[in-house]
């Protein structure tokens, strides 16, 4: 058997502890599949004294984690510190510059600095691997980068945030409203004390930008992700969707269009959407993640599993380590970073499809006429319209409608026409309807 | 860029033609992801003159396909001939012996001779890859072998045959009976003229034996797969299952138990099962395949997609070729073949779970008492029992029941007790109920 793969592990939160536990409990099979031992030689974290329930005494402790990059006895650095910049990025840069392989679970760092790190890793002839950065334990980076490698990927979309999916599917099951469901989720540990990144779609956007780069061979462009969260989704929207044959899910979606100049442009959106009940994503409940990739030969591929948690994330980290141990060094984003294409972001509004709109309006005559007139003037054709019979406590009435297939730009125009209206008590909630 | 990877392609049916079309239409991206050109240099098939809608003139034709293994200008042989033995096996052996990498879509050959071929490939230092042999375009071999490599796999199960799933899900949608649905499926091209391998579970058993070897690091043991098809499933069973909250699917299932001698034993079954509607596999309809792997750290992973067809299968073949081009040679079954464990097959009947039984009985007094007495004597506890009100044309009545959780051996005993009964017009249909 070859020499052990010597690992420096930075960051000892739940995932770091999970990696240590996994390498202990699955030691024999990991060695058999790697063709060599995986040996942690050095660890580092902010707080040495914290009780993590694991014995750290076998590993050399480094107070300064960036010093791990310089150790002669290390082949690969595992970065589990988190944060797009700061110590994580400093460690990643130093490790690669020192000729170490880098494995990371840090989606924010890859979404912001993945291009730079990939280019550096290629120059240094080392691996940069980040399976754990997207969708936890689901091997979707490998699925796109290798499993679907023979395909032109036409579209990538999915449920990329477990917290948001837990909240939406719980609202669906209980009929409860967003704020109380979020509160319960926080108490149960499914949502963080500050849930902003999860419920506003930022976490999903990080993952989407990474998937798009791998799948389409494009420059990572996190800043262009058009991002909207789930905090405005009401129990009434879920009930309406249900009556119409849909569920509501926070969907990250990326695809390629030919722009005006016939150069491909990249659409990246994270938004709550209506998903037909016959679609596989409609049945993804709880904190589960699921990613669909449509390939031009493979057709629709679905990868589903636990999107977070120490066990699943550790599984992905160690899968990357096994790849490194096997010597499987390849381009981090499937093609060499110099060949990744810088694509312009797609103008939103170019798509054709059905849309769900929900208005909160004052309970007075003429409101429906005003809304439907705006639709007419924007050339939006309405398939169905439901007005709730009774005003809620605030004297507010909900009007929901589904359009026929039509350009999204028409819907945007209708919303704009209504933007000054005194009949609307809040901006309308607009959700795309996924095709089955 | 490195030298081209030079390919000999044996077998020019729909999949072979699909591989040629894929390599033509996706040439640039395949080269970019491989780091080199993939170049077909030689082709062979039984009939040279047949019109396949593709131009074969760029490729050297070999009348004797085994001669391709000896060509100096070939790096990898792609075997798409089919059949567990005969020319396919001769070609595979010759290719490996001649130091060529081998890529195959041949599930029967791998299920029967995979151990021998893996061992030969390891000795020769070449790749043996068979992603296309299991579940068409779904990268599930890679998902198990690499994506879930850090996990002890606890169970692998799924929908492994598109024809059977098409028939069952169509029966579910239309209420039609098996034979008419099969006939329609044959007319639509979803079932072959001789559908035996698909509807009797043999095809699924080939795939299951391969998945079990990769997932558990076990010797392939196709002969021990306990296999039952779907031809006895009636429209009435599907209706009963629906009323109870289940759908019926042909499920291939493999897992490991500790046997009496505390040595692990391997359970492999292909059988129609009742799947709770809340389980992801319940929503897999049509010719789609789906595989679930339960890992001890990753939890439940689901891989879903098109299980057959020229495009998806070609996608898997070329993914293997890209791996070969990238130099990713590893143990075909995840660990070196010498380390694969020869496991005894599990005694059936050791499991505890719920079971669905359906009896066809003569319409006369005392039949129900006879059946329920047998259940009592075998210590099987009945959760629900439904007798159809009306006899069908043959004077035959259906009695369906669901047991409480209990050992499968009890159910087998009850069935045995009833085996001589004149009240039963046919052996009962017994189906396991999957847990959610």
């Amino acid at each position: 058997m070859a020499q052990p793969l010597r690992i420096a592990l930075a960051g000892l939160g739940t995932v770091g502890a999970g990696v240590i536990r996994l390498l202990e409990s699955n030691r024999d099979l990991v060695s058999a599949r790697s063709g060599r031992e995986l040996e942690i030689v050095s660890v580092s974290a902010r707080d040495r004294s914290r009780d993590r329930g694991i014995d750290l005494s076998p590993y050399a402790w480094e107070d300064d984690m960036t010093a791990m990059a310089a150790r002669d006895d290390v082949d690969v650095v595992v970065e589990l510190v988190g944060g797009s910049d700061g110590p994580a990025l400093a460690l990643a840069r130093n490790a690669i510059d020192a000729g170490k392989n880098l494995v990371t679970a840090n989606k924010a760092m890859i979404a912001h600095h993945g291009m730079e790190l990939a280019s550096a890793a290629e120059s240094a002839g080392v691996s940069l691997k980040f399976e754990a950065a997207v969708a936890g334990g689901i091997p979707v980076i490998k699925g796109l980068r290798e499993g679907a490698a023979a395909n032109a990927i036409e579209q990538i979309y999915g449920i990329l945030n477990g917290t948001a999916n837990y909240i939406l599917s719980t609202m669906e099951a209980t009929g409860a409203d967003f704020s109380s469901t979020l509160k319960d989720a926080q108490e149960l540990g499914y949502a963080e004390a500050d849930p902003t990144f999860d419920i506003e779609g930022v976490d999903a956007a990080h993952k989407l930008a990474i998937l798009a780069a791998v799948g389409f061979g494009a420059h990572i462009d996190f800043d262009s992700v058009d991002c909207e969260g789930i905090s405005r989704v009401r129990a009434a929207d879920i009930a309406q969707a249900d009556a119409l044959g849909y569920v509501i899910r926070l969907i990250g979606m990326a695809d390629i269009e030919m722009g005006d100049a016939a150069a491909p442009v990249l659409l990246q959106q994270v938004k709550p959407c209506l998903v037909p009940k016959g679609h596989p994503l409609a049945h993804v409940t709880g904190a589960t993640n699921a990613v669909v990739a449509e390939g031009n030969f493979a057709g629709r591929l679905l990868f589903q599993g636990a999107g977070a948690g120490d066990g699943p994330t550790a599984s992905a980290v160690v899968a990357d380590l096994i790849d490194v141990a096997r010597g499987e060094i390849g381009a981090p984003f499937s093609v060499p970073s110099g060949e990744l294409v810088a694509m312009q972001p797609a103008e939103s509004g170019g798509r054709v499809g059905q849309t769900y709109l929900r208005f909160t309006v004052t309970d007075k005559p003429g409101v429906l006429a005003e809304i439907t007139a705006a639709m007419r003037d924007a050339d939006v054709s309405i398939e169905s319209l439901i007005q709730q019979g009774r005003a809620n406590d605030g004297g507010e009435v909900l009007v929901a409608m589904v359009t026929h297939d039509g350009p999204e730009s028409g819907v945007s125009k209708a919303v704009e026409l209504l933007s000054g209206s005194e009949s609307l008590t809040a901006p309308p909630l607009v959700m795309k309807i996924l095709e089955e």
Side-chain angles (χ1 to χ4, degrees), chain A:
Chain A
M1 199 173 268
Q3 292 292 309
L5 182 76
R6 299 164 303 173
I7 299 162
L9 181 56
L12 292 169
T14 55
V15 176
V19 168
I20 292 176
R21 268 199 308 278
L22 194 162
L23 288 175
E24 281 170 4
S25 61
N26 292 356
R27 175 172 300 281
D28 291 348
L29 71 86
V30 167
S31 303
R33 292 173 187 169
S34 301
R36 54 203 282 206
E37 300 280 335
L38 267 59
E39 185 194 329
I40 297 173
V41 296
S42 171
V43 296
S44 180
R46 255 180 301 245
D47 179 3
R48 185 168 186 174
S49 61
R50 197 177 125 207
D51 180 12
R52 298 171 171 91
I54 44 173
D55 177 14
L56 296 177
S57 63
Y59 318 121
W61 180 272
E62 289 279 2
D63 280 318
D64 172 14
M65 64 176 63
T66 52
M68 298 204 294
R71 287 179 72 108
D72 284 341
D73 61 352
V74 165
D75 302 309
V76 54
V77 171
V78 177
E79 183 281 304
L80 302 173
V81 180
S84 60
D85 296 84
L89 183 61
L91 173 61
R93 286 174 171 156
N94 284 348
I96 292 169
D97 287 350
K100 314 297 188 198
N101 300 288
L102 184 74
V103 170
T104 178
N106 190 331
K107 65 208 78 160
M109 181 178 77
I110 296 296
H112 286 280
H113 305 290
M115 298 290 297
E116 172 208 321
L117 295 174
S119 168
E122 286 163 25
S123 301
V126 298
S127 284
L128 167 65
K129 291 190 174 279
F130 43 82
E131 184 64 80
V134 179
I138 312 171
V140 63
I141 297 291
K142 184 174 278 286
L144 283 174
R145 186 182 168 277
E146 303 171 30
N151 293 266
I153 301 294
E154 293 167 345
Q155 199 174 37
I156 302 169
Y157 60 102
I159 293 169
L160 300 174
N161 183 273
T163 301
N165 204 61
Y166 176 85
I167 290 173
L168 289 173
S169 59
T170 302
M171 287 171 71
E172 192 177 296
T174 62
D177 224 324
F178 174 79
S179 54
S180 67
T181 309
L182 170 60
K183 194 159 161 285
D184 289 351
Q186 286 172 316
E187 279 166 14
L188 292 165
Y190 285 108
E192 296 187 34
D194 178 357
T196 314
F197 264 38
D198 293 317
I199 65 173
E200 295 305 340
V202 180
D203 172 80
H206 283 144
K207 298 169 184 168
L208 184 71
I210 297 170
L211 288 173
V214 174
F216 301 135
H219 279 210
I220 293 187
D221 186 8
F222 168 71
D223 291 333
S224 298
V225 181
D226 181 8
C227 189
E228 182 186 326
I230 61 167
S231 54
R232 294 178 60 220
V233 176
R234 297 191 181 193
D237 294 312
I238 290 176
Q240 287 300 356
D242 179 57
L244 296 163
Y246 301 97
V247 300
I248 298 179
R249 293 288 180 269
L250 182 65
I251 300 291
M253 174 175 292
D255 69 9
I256 300 282
E257 308 175 337
M258 292 313 286
D260 291 337
V265 292
L266 176 61
L267 180 92
Q268 298 180 104
Q269 288 185 329
V270 174
K271 297 192 171 185
C273 292
L274 268 63
V275 180
K277 288 180 186 174
H279 193 288
L281 293 184
H283 306 286
V284 178
T285 56
T288 305
N289 281 197
V291 179
V292 174
E294 308 263 6
N296 71 335
F297 276 75
R300 179 185 285 178
L301 297 172
L302 171 73
F303 303 87
Q304 185 173 321
D310 55 341
T313 310
S315 165
V317 168
V318 177
D320 279 349
L321 288 170
I322 293 172
D323 266 4
V324 172
R326 284 171 169 167
E328 295 184 350
I329 298 177
F333 293 99
S334 171
V335 298
S337 54
E339 294 176 29
L340 294 170
V341 181
M343 290 186 199
Q344 292 298 310
E347 296 275 325
S348 61
R351 297 310 169 93
V352 170
Q354 288 190 281
T355 304
Y356 169 97
L357 295 102
R358 186 261 294 152
F359 302 88
T360 50
V361 300
T362 53
D363 190 11
K364 64 177 190 188
V367 172
L368 265 186
E370 187 182 345
I371 293 174
T372 53
M375 294 293 151
R376 178 199 62 209
D377 295 345
D379 209 17
V380 175
S381 170
I382 299 168
E383 182 184 279
S384 58
L385 184 150
I386 302 162
Q387 174 174 352
Q388 267 199 347
R390 212 159 50 87
N392 65 16
D393 293 346
E396 192 187 60
V397 173
L398 298 191
V399 176
M401 64 177 69
V402 169
T403 71
H404 280 294
D405 269 337
E408 288 178 10
S409 56
V411 172
S412 305
K413 188 179 166 194
V415 169
E416 203 185 311
L417 288 173
L418 287 165
S419 66
S421 167
E422 289 182 0
S423 306
L424 272 56
T425 60
L429 177 67
V430 179
M431 294 190 280
K432 194 185 279 199
I433 299 181
L434 243 63
E435 280 179 44
E436 186 154 350

